[in-house]
Structures are given as structure tokens and as C-alpha cells.
Amino acid sequence: MSEVQANLLYTKEHEWVEKLSDTIVRVGITDFAQDQLGDIVFVELPKTGSSVTANESIGSVESVKTVSDIFSPISGKVTAVNSTLESSPELVNSAPFGEGWMVEVEVSGADALEGLLTPAEYASYIGNDQ
């Protein structure tokens, strides 16, 4: 059963969002997503300062099975990128909610997090019973 953390918000594309402040969020892919992908061998992320748009691709994750897009759950500007993933992409498998985070984004608008799934909604979406 995939881990769903209670302090995060989620997307149907299997990204998680952690609110770090009123304007900054951290984004990664979920435990469910990394499990479905298998062993991750490469992560492509946007550059710091890039503008991102909700529901549009911001990079990709390559595993031994497939390549999958990473979608931005919110619109805004990338303020930080987890450069550790360049040399250690396997962190996405071993710590998807910790060291395997991908980007931090300064959100554009107070309603940026509206429409994201609660932990209970995401758990139900992936078939987890909480």
C-alpha cells in the first residue's frame, strides 16, 4: 500500500505539494508514482527562475520501465531545484516525500492551491483505505 502523508496536498497526476510558507510550496512525486515507475535512473527538472503553469509539464522522470512527465500542480516561479537528484535520482524511490523532493515554487495567487486533493481524496483515488 502506498504512503499518503497527512500534511500534503495531491494531484491526480501523482504529484504532492507541501506548503512551506504563504507563498512557497515544495513539489515532488508521490510514493504511488515512484512505485509504479520502478527504479528511477534520471530526473529532468526546470531551472531556477523558470515560470511554471498549473497542469503543464515541468520536467520528466526516467525509470528502467518508462519516461513520465512531471506536471506542475500550481502556477508560479521556480525558486529552488533539488540538484541532488542529478547525481542521485534514486532518492525519488527511497524518499519521495523527503530527500526526493523536486522543486520549490513561489505561487502566483492566493487561490493557487484550490482544486488540489486532500490526503483522504488522494488515498481514495489510488485505492488506499485510510
Side-chain angles (χ1 to χ4, degrees):
M1 184 175 299
S2 298
E3 181 181 358
V4 176
Q5 293 198 351
N7 63 321
L8 305 175
L9 296 170
Y10 298 88
T11 71
K12 288 187 175 181
E13 289 77 30
H14 309 290
E15 285 84 22
W16 57 262
V17 176
E18 178 183 14
K19 189 174 179 181
L20 299 178
S21 73
D22 286 342
T23 58
I24 304 290
V25 298
R26 181 173 280 173
V27 177
I29 66 169
T30 64
D31 186 44
F32 178 85
Q34 70 78 25
D35 185 58
Q36 295 295 307
L37 288 167
D39 292 336
I40 294 172
V41 296
F42 182 75
V43 178
E44 177 187 42
L45 297 172
K47 298 207 181 308
T48 301
S50 300
S51 292
V52 295
T53 303
N55 304 314
E56 291 191 6
S57 177
I58 59 169
S60 62
V61 177
E62 183 177 339
S63 71
V64 293
K65 293 182 186 179
T66 187
V67 176
S68 183
D69 280 329
I70 304 163
F71 294 95
S72 181
I74 45 90
S75 295
K77 185 170 118 179
V78 176
T79 58
V81 175
N82 187 353
S83 58
T84 305
L85 298 181
E86 290 176 24
S87 59
S88 301
E90 69 277 2
L91 289 173
V92 176
N93 290 118
S94 62
F97 298 114
E99 295 175 309
W101 67 274
M102 298 190 169
V103 296
E104 291 180 3
V105 177
E106 182 178 17
V107 296
S108 58
D111 60 350
L113 302 180
E114 286 183 15
L116 296 177
L117 302 175
T118 66
E121 289 169 334
Y122 183 71
S124 176
Y125 179 71
I126 62 171
N128 271 14
D129 292 326
Q130 282 191 321

